[in-house]
Structure formats: C-alpha cells, structure tokens
Amino acid sequence: EGGGNMAASGEGDPEGLCGAERPGAGGLALLGLAPSAPSCPHGPALLFVKTSQGKEEGRRFYACSACRDRKDCNFFQWEDEKVSETRLVAREEYNRNYQPPFTHRQNVERYKNFVLLPLSKRRFCQECQQLLFPTEWEKHLDHQFLCNISIAQLKSPSQLLYPLENKKTNAQYLFADRSCQLLLDLIIDLGFRRVLSVGTPRLHEMIQSKASQGEDFRVRSLLLDIDFRYSQFYTEDEFCHYNMFNHYFFGGEAAREACMKFLHQDNGGRVIMVTDPPFGGLVGALAASFKKLMAMWKETGKEGHNNQEMPMFWIFPYFFESRILEFFPSFSMLDYQVDYDNHALYKHGKTGRRQSPVRIFTNLTPSMIVLPVEEGYRFCTICQRYVSSGNQHCEICNSCTSKDGRRWKHCVLCKKCVKPSWFHCNNCNCCALQSHTCEKTDAGCFVCGKAGHKRSTCPSLSST
C-alpha cells in the first residue's frame, strides 16, 4: 500500500518532492506519456525536461515511470536520440528477461495444484518469494523457506510476502487493521459493492477474506498492483499486474478487459476506486493514470456518468493537498489519519508532530463520511464534516483549518490560520518557522552581520 518516504514532521515538503514535476520549480518537469515512448521493464517511459526559473532547459529525455532511483531501473534515452537497431533488439531482450518466471495464468494453475498438496508438502521460498512444489525443493536447498503453508496463510498473502519497502517504487507500507477496517466500513456504509483497489493489497485481502467466509457479504474487489508476486494467489479477475504511474497493464489487452468488465458490472454503478500510491511518486503521473481509469468507468455509457467522476478515495500526505486539487478540483481532504503496520512513524495514537500526515482525499461529499467518535473525531455543524479533536473551528476563517491534527492559530497579518510552531516574519511578510532563512533579505556578512558585502571585503577586517 501507500508509501512513507516523507518525514512525518508536517512542516511542509521535507524531501522537496512536491515541486519535482512542476515546470518552474527548478529541477525536473514531467511532460507526461508520449505516444511513441520507448519502454523499459516497467512499461512505457515518461518524458521529462530540466527546468530553471520557469523555463525549460536542455534536451528532453525519457526515464522509467515507476523508479525514481536509477539503481532500481537505469533506463534513460534522449527524446531526439537515434537508437540503433542492435540496441533496440538488446533492449527488447532485456525487457523480456526481466519479466517474472511464470505468467499469471501459469501461477493460477500452480495455485490450484498447490492447495491439493498435503500440508507437509507445501513450502514457500522466502528468498525467491515463490510457492514451491516438492519437485522444486532441490533448486532452493540453500534458501530460507516456510513449511506447512496453511490455507489461511494463502488467503493472507500480504503477511506471507515480505513488504517491498523501496520507498519510491513499491513502498509497501501496509494499512494497519484499524485503517483498513475503517475504509471497508465506509465503503459498505456508503453503499458501494465493488472496489477497484489500486495499490491497496491489504484492503483487497480483507474484502476477499470476508467474501469467502460469508454469503451475505456482497462487496467484491479487483487489485491493480505493480507487485507481480500477488499473481500467485489471485485469479485473473481478482488481480491485474498494473503500473499506476503510466496506466500500463502488463497483461496486455486481456488484463485491460478484465478491469473493464469489473468496472462495467451493474452498468458501472456502486463502484469506488481506492488508491494508496508511494508518496515519492509524481502526483502528475498518478493523476493522469487515475483519470484514465475514470474514463474506462465512464465508457459504461450509463446515463449521468458523462457528468460525473468515478467515486474515489486517494490516500496521500496532507502536504500534497494543493497538488491533488490542481488535478482534481472536486476533491476535499478528510481529517482521518491513516496509519500503517510496518512504518516507524505513521502510527495512530502519536501526538504533536509525530502524528501520521497521511489523509484520505475524496470526491464524495464530506458530510456523508462518518469518522469514529471513539478516536476523537467530531462533527462540525458549520463545516458539515467530521474533524479531529485538535481541529478547532476558526471564527475568522469560518472553517476548521488544521491540516496536521494540532490546533492551528489565526494570524491577523496573513489573514489565515497557520501551524502553532510558525510566527509572523516582518521581513518575509508571512508566517514561517522561527529558524527559517528570510528569502527576501540579503545574507549578512559573517564578520559584522551587515548586508552589502562579503567576509573577504568586510571594512571591519581592514580596520583591524
């Protein structure tokens, strides 16, 4: 599920990723998915350009859509580069070799045969992350493996598989049961019957488990995820190998059709998309993919769909709010703090600056979404939404203004509420941390502190 490579300080954008895809921010600008884009093992590459002071600088280039770190995927090609036939053939060969040892269909057959084995014959290789048949044991003799794999373990693959915690590509920080259960309760209470689970394996797992236990549980889920290991446990109408950064179905047209069929059941009614992307991912690339999934849903042709957005929960840190609203103006941010099982910082119950910064963004009406009162959430009758206990209504702003769970304070000069740790700076004419560096004032001399000259030419040095 969603990633967590942002510090939980809540003091802006700790790793500077918010602007990394925006022209004018300095650094790289994402130009999107070009029709003739070359491919790496993760599907079609994205087009980028370097920027400085709002201007494009240098040649445009293609890079991997999923991996922000060149160590994970070193694909690189200039947009105007002439690639030789030999290199193209070598690239195709490399992409083929990078693919998993079994296809999804083969994995489904393997699963059917695996469950027929007696318990003592069921093994799982922890090193290869693969279900093993007795005939394959010999090849894995020097590997660590789990024995006596039960049906219950097979139904909970997110606990059997080790999380891929590469923060910018997979970032499998899995929902804590508390957050997972709340999402499912909301989905049921709001009347949804199908969930398009984009990068949320634990939610998908919870739905699958409940569906297999009770006949009266009517919610169904389709998991779209870049982690192909899940194909060992789910059929082709339960899982699609999918890259959410370039809207790429690795299984080709058959996988796309499976997704289309799922979205079109009940004429496209009562379906919601729930997504929890890696937090280091580019918001622009994610938004483009989510809009394409929404467009697939609209193709149902159901009356009214043309004027509607597919209902959605997008789980992401609150400091990306402006970026998400840039692409989805109809979205609003809920106060609920999402937490994860295997993340050191994003845990429920922490206070102050250690609270989880992860929130739910949705295009559903906030007043419809009931948050648990026992966890301190209350309904604000003026804002018509549930807010956290620390989020006090500001009479001047006429809104519950806190974003991070702490009580914010109103600045008369800024004419808005700000974080409790911020103070108004007269030099910058805005509120900031006391330790900030004033951008609008010249840095003073290290010797005398006065502006207008550097240490080497300081008058006090020459007089001494």
Side-chain angles (χ1 to χ4, degrees), residues 1-101:
E1 258 126 32
N5 67 323
M6 293 296 186
S9 68
E11 298 294 351
D13 174 15
E15 294 192 12
L17 288 163
C18 291
E21 58 194 300
R22 226 180 310 183
L28 294 181
L30 169 66
L31 300 175
L33 195 60
S36 56
S39 289
C40 72
H42 304 94
L46 295 178
L47 189 61
F48 294 88
V49 67
K50 284 194 174 180
T51 62
S52 179
Q53 275 88 44
K55 296 173 187 170
E56 289 187 15
E57 288 194 352
R59 290 160 76 187
R60 298 177 175 202
F61 63 90
Y62 291 104
C64 176
S65 60
C67 304
R68 298 282 300 279
D69 195 326
R70 294 289 295 278
K71 284 184 286 189
D72 298 314
C73 181
N74 63 2
F75 181 86
F76 181 92
Q77 182 186 312
W78 296 112
E79 184 190 27
D80 56 3
E81 186 180 348
K82 294 280 188 286
V83 183
S84 69
E85 193 64 36
T86 310
R87 200 167 140 213
L88 281 173
V89 171
R91 182 184 288 169
E92 283 176 22
E93 177 75 10
Y94 176 79
N95 290 352
R96 263 197 308 273
N97 292 338
Y98 190 87
Q99 298 313 309

Side-chain angles (χ1 to χ4, degrees), residues 286-300:
L286 292 167
S289 293
F290 299 154
K291 284 183 177 181
K292 285 174 183 171
L293 288 171
M294 286 177 163
M296 285 172 70
W297 170 76
K298 276 190 178 181
E299 286 175 35
T300 55

Side-chain angles (χ1 to χ4, degrees), residues 260-277:
M260 201 74 151
K261 184 182 171 187
F262 181 81
L263 291 174
H264 286 206
Q265 286 169 25
D266 296 334
N267 289 325
R270 301 196 297 177
V271 60
I272 183 170
M273 187 196 320
V274 182
T275 183
D276 189 22

Side-chain angles (χ1 to χ4, degrees), residues 41 46 101 140-141 164 346:
L46 295 178
H140 301 260
L141 283 177
L164 302 173
Y346 299 177

Side-chain angles (χ1 to χ4, degrees), residues 132-423:
L132 294 182
F133 288 89
T135 53
E136 297 165 339
W137 290 357
E138 200 174 335
K139 293 179 190 171
H140 301 260
L141 283 177
D142 55 345
H143 294 178
Q144 292 282 321
F145 48 78
L146 297 172
C147 301
N148 304 330
I149 302 298
S150 66
I151 298 297
Q153 284 174 293
L154 293 172
K155 298 285 183 191
S156 305
S158 73
Q159 292 172 35
L160 190 61
L161 302 167
Y162 66 74
L164 302 173
E165 293 182 6
N166 173 308
K167 293 172 181 173
K168 294 178 183 177
T169 309
N170 302 97
Q172 288 177 335
Y173 295 105
L174 302 166
F175 288 146
D177 282 342
R178 158 191 167 270
S179 292
C180 205
Q181 190 61 58
L182 175 108
L183 284 167
L184 185 53
D185 289 345
L186 287 177
I187 288 161
I188 294 166
D189 293 345
L190 292 165
F192 294 108
R193 288 291 171 264
R194 278 166 301 115
V195 184
L196 188 65
S197 303
V198 186
T200 58
R202 190 155 279 182
L203 177 64
H204 174 74
E205 189 176 291
M206 183 179 274
I207 292 169
Q208 293 289 103
S209 174
K210 289 183 185 291
S212 66
Q213 288 167 16
E215 288 180 18
D216 57 341
F217 187 82
R218 304 200 188 287
V219 180
R220 295 296 179 267
S221 172
L222 172 65
L223 176 63
L224 307 187
D225 204 288
I226 200 167
D227 187 353
F228 190 69
R229 296 177 303 169
Y230 284 104
S231 69
Q232 297 179 88
F233 307 93
Y234 298 123
T235 62
E236 288 152 301
D237 57 359
E238 294 170 333
F239 169 76
C240 292
H241 189 202
Y242 176 78
N243 181 349
M244 70 173 86
F245 293 105
N246 58 4
H247 186 59
Y248 181 66
F249 287 89
F250 291 84
E253 196 53 38
R256 193 181 181 279
E257 281 300 318
C259 182
M260 201 74 151
K261 184 182 171 187
F262 181 81
L263 291 174
H264 286 206
Q265 286 169 25
D266 296 334
N267 289 325
R270 301 196 297 177
V271 60
I272 183 170
M273 187 196 320
V274 182
T275 183
D276 189 22
F279 304 156
L282 297 166
V283 177
L286 292 167
S289 293
F290 299 154
K291 284 183 177 181
K292 285 174 183 171
L293 288 171
M294 286 177 163
M296 285 172 70
W297 170 76
K298 276 190 178 181
E299 286 175 35
T300 55
K302 188 178 179 183
E303 198 176 327
H305 274 193
N306 291 335
N307 305 319
Q308 274 185 324
E309 278 182 339
M310 179 183 181
M312 183 172 171
F313 287 153
W314 179 344
I315 291 135
F316 227 49
Y318 73 81
F319 36 79
F320 281 103
E321 183 181 21
S322 62
R323 289 293 284 142
I324 291 175
L325 297 184
E326 204 176 301
F327 295 102
F328 293 104
S330 62
F331 278 38
S332 55
M333 187 177 80
L334 306 180
D335 259 25
Y336 183 78
Q337 294 183 15
V338 179
D339 56 311
Y340 299 84
D341 260 355
N342 55 326
H343 198 290
L345 295 177
Y346 299 177
K347 296 277 191 185
H348 179 61
K350 290 182 182 283
T351 55
R353 295 177 64 203
R354 283 299 183 204
Q355 296 179 64
S356 172
V358 188
R359 302 289 182 270
I360 301 170
F361 293 86
T362 185
N363 50 6
L364 298 172
T365 308
S367 60
M368 295 165 57
I369 298 163
V370 180
L371 299 182
V373 176
E374 63 274 15
E375 290 184 19
Y377 297 98
R378 59 180 178 80
F379 189 75
C380 176
T381 51
I382 305 168
C383 295
Q384 283 292 294
R385 67 183 182 101
Y386 276 83
V387 296
S388 63
S389 54
N391 195 356
Q392 296 298 310
H393 192 89
C394 174
E395 301 291 339
I396 305 165
C397 296
N398 195 29
S399 173
C400 293
T401 52
S402 172
K403 308 283 186 190
D404 63 5
R406 296 178 289 172
R407 184 171 183 171
W408 285 21
K409 59 186 182 184
H410 191 86
C411 175
V412 180
L413 297 171
C414 290
K415 297 180 180 174
K416 64 178 183 180
C417 285
V418 296
K419 294 176 182 177
S421 53
W422 287 17
F423 296 89

Side-chain angles (χ1 to χ4, degrees), residues 114-126:
F114 190 84
V115 293
L116 296 174
L117 294 170
L119 193 63
S120 61
K121 301 279 186 182
R122 290 190 213 141
R123 288 187 181 181
F124 178 77
C125 178
Q126 289 183 295

